[in-house]
């Protein structure tokens, strides 16, 4: 791999954490804090830093040994270890044995790749930890530098600019008028044939003939179309009434077919 | 521009700037290890005298404030376009067609109680003003439209407001049914129209 | 001591001085009737560079603050700045150097789950905000820093983050997978590195 430029960001001072509190409470369910370590990767990074070599040149085998020793010690002290630490220990033990096995028996992914992956992760975590330390060490507003203590403030006075247009105005007036006008309901005088006159007319016509007649033949001829509707309705009701009284018979061959009726002689 | 101010001057400047209250000479001095800050304050006050910010002493306490001649910059008016509400439009229309008109009269024409705020908004907008009191018991305030109203709505005079028959011709009387509209062609509509027109004329 | 600063300069000085928040160039200009204030800001920044109070730009917004070298005099009992947990500082750094970044990405760098409260504290402080969702399955929320973050830490822009150029050049801001791919296959590794460097250049 190409040699990355030497950078202060990945140089690893022993302690750049002064002034930073230890991990917040409330995370206990997720990991056990061993002397303030936040998880196995954090512990590994700390062990790596103790080797005092550049993380890019660190011996992963040494690191694995140190981690496994640490876990052994913790178990010897009967410290309860979070599952994360044990999972990492198991994985590192596997990695160690794979690194020590002859090359031909390697599976995919190769142990070298796994070791490199771990190394890269440690580098990234170290870089961010270092960056965090440098960020926190900056001159901070409200701690090292201060804004104006008592600013007058800039004020923005909001003024409403009311909008309404001519059409909305006259439309509103029209609607008030339409709404508040006294409402008068008028029913137009229409020509109707009353039930009584229909009854008289149909009964009289039934007395004249014994043949079946269609209902429409009972309507007054040349009637105004508006009167015709009324006459049809009244004549139909009159026919029903006469049938009920036994004075007429009605027949209809099909639905909506012509309705015929004739008189019944007593 | 000038040579770098000395450290005491800079410290006094920063201390007064950062303080949440005006500071007495003693308080400033206390911050700065007991140094004598009088000369520094005098020099700073002189430096800032021409600037947008002044260092001033008020009741033996020092603070920075913006230059009095720039105070108007610290407030800014922002105009927000707001649409007149339906109720506002109706009340405005009634004032325009019937002015001068009292609030009770507006309510009787609208058939709805008129919230006090509605007339306030119309007065804030500059379209309606109080023109006096009606000479009846209770002496209610009466309202009329303003010249700004005519300007805003593009009217030469209130005579330009369409009459009832024109509104109807434009379909703005918005009847519910044709039959109903036809039925309303009765005598009462005619009367209203005449009233409205008379009002308009007399107001001019 | 010096010739009187012109009116625009004084007005810009007063407006930024009076404001309770850092102001963008647009906001200052709006207060001053739309004037172009860039030159005035540059001149003021230069004038104040030697003084006890500095005019600084942070995330495209301007404000006055006390000179950093006077911190020892002003620090007093004003230790109100919240102390961030170690997890908090790490998460903040990861967001700042990698933004925009999802919670899963933060966790993969730190190797531990991030307690719910950690991001909340950073958002409550006003330093981190949600800027959208990543267009991948699950559409995770992504986080980035705010202008207030830059203001608080005295950064003109994210480019001023300590060591960010070196970190980028060393590939330490790239995902592990990319670095792994680069390291595993030789020739393409060269290409990847070149790409990364080009990215860096174009980003600046």
């Amino acid at each position: 791999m190409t040699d990355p430029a030497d950078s202060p960001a990945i140089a690893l001072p022993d302690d750049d954490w002064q002034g930073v509190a230890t991990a917040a409470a409330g995370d206990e369910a997720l990991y056990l804090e061993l002397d303030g370590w936040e998880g196995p990767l954090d512990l590994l990074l700390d062990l790596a830093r103790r080797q005092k070599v550049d993380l890019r040149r660190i011996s992963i085998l040494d690191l694995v040994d140190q981690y496994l020793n640490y876990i052994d010690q913790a178990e010897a002290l009967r410290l309860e270890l979070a599952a994360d630490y044990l999972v990492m220990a198991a994985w590192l033990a596997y990695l160690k044995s794979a690194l020590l096995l002859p090359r031909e028996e390697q599976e995919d992914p190769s142990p070298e790749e796994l070791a490199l992956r771990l190394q890269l992760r440690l580098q990234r975590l170290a870089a961010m930890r270092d960056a965090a330390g440098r960020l926190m060490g900056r001159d901070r507003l409200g701690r090292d530098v201060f804004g104006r203590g008592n600013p007058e403030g800039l004020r923005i006075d909001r003024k409403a600019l009311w909008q309404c247009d001519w059409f909305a105005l006259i439309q509103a007036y029209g609607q008030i008028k339409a709404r508040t006008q006294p409402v008068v309901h008028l029913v137009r005088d229409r020509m109707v044939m009353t039930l009584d006159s229909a009854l008289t007319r149909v009964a009289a016509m039934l007395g004249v003939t014994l043949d079946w007649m269609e209902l429409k033949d009972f309507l007054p001829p040349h009637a105004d179309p508006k009167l015709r509707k009324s006459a049809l309705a009244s004549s139909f009701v009159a026919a029903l009434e006469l049938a009920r009284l036994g004075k007429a018979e009605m027949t209809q061959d099909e639905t909506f077919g012509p309705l015929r009726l004739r008189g019944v002689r007593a | 521009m000038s040579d770098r101010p000395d450290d005491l001057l800079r410290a006094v400047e920063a201390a007064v700037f950062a303080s949440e209250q005006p500071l007495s000479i003693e308080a400033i001095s206390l911050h700065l290890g007991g140094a004598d800050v009088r000369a520094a304050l005098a020099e700073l006050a002189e430096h800032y005298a021409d600037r947008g910010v002044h260092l001033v002493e008020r009741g033996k306490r020092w603070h920075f404030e913006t230059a009095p001649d720039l105070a108007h910059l610290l407030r800014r008016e922002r105009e927000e376009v707001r649409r007149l509400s339906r109720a506002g439009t109706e009340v405005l229309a009634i004032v325009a067609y019937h002015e001068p008109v009292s609030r009770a009269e507006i309510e009787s024409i609208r058939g709805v109680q008129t919230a006090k705020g509605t007339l306030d908004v119309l007065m804030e907008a500059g379209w309606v003003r109080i023109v006096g009191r009606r000479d009846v018991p209770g002496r209610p305030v009466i309202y009329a439209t303003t010249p700004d109203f005519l300007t805003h709505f593009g009217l030469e005079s209130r005579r330009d407001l369409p009459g009832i028959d024109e509104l109807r011709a434009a379909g703005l009387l918005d009847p519910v049914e044709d039959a109903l509209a036809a039925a309303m062609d009765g005598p009462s509509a005619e009367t209203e129209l005449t009233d409205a027109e008379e009002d308009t004329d007399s107001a001019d």
Side-chain angles (χ1 to χ4, degrees), chain A, chain B:
Chain A
M1 180 179 178
T2 335
D3 196 24
D6 267 337
S7 94
I10 53 172
L12 298 166
D14 240 358
D15 183 10
D16 49 5
W17 287 106
Q18 63 271 59
V20 175
T22 47
D27 290 2
E28 283 86 352
L30 302 175
Y31 63 88
L32 175 71
E33 260 187 47
L34 297 167
D35 295 333
W37 280 297
E38 267 200 80
L41 198 65
D42 190 21
L43 171 54
L44 272 167
L45 179 59
D46 189 70
L47 294 170
R49 283 176 163 184
R50 289 186 200 177
Q51 291 191 21
K52 297 206 185 279
V53 292
D54 191 316
L55 272 183
R56 286 168 293 165
R57 312 196 198 299
I58 198 146
S59 159
I60 291 293
L61 270 181
D62 285 356
L63 189 59
V64 168
D65 281 339
Q66 287 173 32
Y67 185 90
L68 294 176
N69 281 340
Y70 191 89
I71 297 299
D72 285 347
Q73 276 176 27
E75 284 185 325
L77 292 170
R78 294 171 186 276
L79 287 179
E80 199 182 320
L81 284 173
D84 293 3
Y85 288 83
L86 299 175
V87 169
M88 179 63 93
W91 185 80
L92 289 176
Y94 162 78
L95 176 62
K96 180 182 171 183
S97 64
L99 284 170
L100 294 174
L101 277 177
R103 256 250 173 241
E104 309 83 64
E105 294 169 36
Q106 300 304 336
E107 292 173 14
D108 206 39
S110 70
E112 283 77 15
E113 184 183 328
L114 295 175
L116 179 59
R117 186 186 290 271
L118 178 60
Q119 194 175 2
L120 291 170
R121 290 190 68 190
L122 289 172
Q123 283 176 19
R124 274 156 184 71
L125 179 58
M128 281 304 105
R129 183 154 300 177
D130 186 53
R134 292 169 69 178
L135 200 54
M136 292 300 138
R138 289 184 65 82
D139 287 323
R140 288 160 65 181
L141 192 64
R143 188 187 71 172
D144 308 295
V145 297
F146 298 91
R148 189 161 172 216
N150 188 22
E152 289 95 339
L154 291 172
R155 292 222 348 240
I156 295 174
D157 297 333
R158 287 164 207 280
K159 182 171 180 259
L161 191 65
W162 291 99
Q163 273 298 330
C164 181
D165 59 46
W166 179 86
F167 182 74
L169 186 74
I170 60 162
Q171 188 187 43
Y173 193 68
Q175 287 181 4
I176 297 163
K177 282 291 167 192
R179 191 172 72 216
T180 58
Q181 208 74 252
V183 178
V184 182
H185 289 283
L186 285 185
V187 179
R188 215 174 278 278
D189 193 13
R190 282 197 286 177
M191 288 193 287
V192 291
M193 178 183 275
T194 63
L195 184 55
D196 281 347
S197 66
L199 208 52
T200 313
R201 182 181 168 84
V202 174
M205 287 176 77
L206 280 177
V208 173
T209 171
L210 281 174
D211 289 340
W212 290 98
M213 284 174 71
E214 281 191 37
L215 183 62
K216 68 176 197 289
D217 297 329
F218 289 88
L219 305 186
H222 318 301
D224 184 280
K226 282 177 186 165
L227 175 63
R228 207 174 156 78
K229 272 190 179 172
S230 171
L232 180 64
S234 299
S235 300
F236 174 59
V237 175
L240 288 175
E241 177 65 12
L242 290 168
R244 190 180 69 81
L245 295 172
K247 292 180 179 169
E249 292 181 292
M250 298 175 77
T251 177
Q252 188 176 30
D253 294 338
E254 51 177 328
T255 313
F256 299 119
L259 189 68
R260 295 182 298 161
L261 62 156
R262 69 174 179 189
V264 176
R265 287 284 143 81
Chain B
M1 53 187 301
S2 60
D3 42 357
R4 183 183 162 92
D6 71 40
D7 281 347
L8 180 61
L9 195 82
R10 293 177 70 244
V12 173
E13 189 177 29
V16 176
F17 168 84
S19 172
E20 280 150 24
Q21 288 111 31
L23 291 178
S24 66
I25 287 180
E26 294 72 28
I28 301 168
S29 178
L30 209 62
H31 269 299
L32 308 179
D36 185 352
V37 298
R38 277 158 224 276
L41 281 169
E43 196 180 332
L44 281 170
E46 193 195 325
H47 169 79
Y48 279 98
D50 283 340
R51 304 201 61 91
V53 168
H54 293 173
L55 178 63
V56 294
E57 183 189 4
R58 301 258 188 271
K60 299 211 177 288
R61 288 169 193 274
W62 292 78
H63 75 277
F64 281 105
E65 62 182 33
T66 48
D69 64 310
L70 298 172
H72 64 281
L73 293 173
L74 308 185
R75 312 175 97 236
R76 186 165 63 84
E77 277 203 347
R78 178 194 281 173
E79 292 197 321
E80 285 179 342
V81 174
R82 293 183 62 181
R83 209 160 172 82
L84 197 60
S85 69
R86 167 114 210 114
T89 310
E90 284 190 9
V91 172
L92 180 61
I94 291 167
V95 175
Y97 274 90
H98 295 267
E99 73 178 43
V101 67
S102 72
R103 186 163 150 191
E105 288 156 3
I106 294 169
E107 287 177 354
S108 94
I109 294 167
R110 275 189 82 209
V112 191
Q113 274 212 319
T114 297
K116 179 147 175 41
T118 310
L119 274 160
D120 290 347
V121 162
L122 295 174
M123 288 195 281
E124 186 199 316
W127 295 334
V128 165
R129 67 181 166 185
I130 291 170
V131 290
R133 287 178 181 277
R134 178 90 68 220
D135 213 2
V136 295
R139 295 186 41 76
V141 160
I142 47 177
Y143 300 89
T145 55
T146 64
D148 275 357
F149 164 80
L150 297 176
T151 311
H152 181 89
F153 289 90
L155 301 168
E156 284 276 307
S157 78
R158 283 180 54 254
R159 256 187 241 269
D160 293 349
L161 286 170
I164 291 295
D165 50 350
E166 290 168 284
L167 292 182
R168 184 177 300 114
L172 287 171
L173 287 189
D174 192 33
V176 187
E177 270 176 53
D178 284 356
L180 188 62
M184 293 206 313
D185 278 338
S188 73
E190 297 289 344
T191 324
E192 290 259 355
L193 179 64
T194 323
D195 283 354
E197 279 178 343
E198 271 170 8
D199 271 359
T200 308
D201 291 344
S202 65
D204 281 325

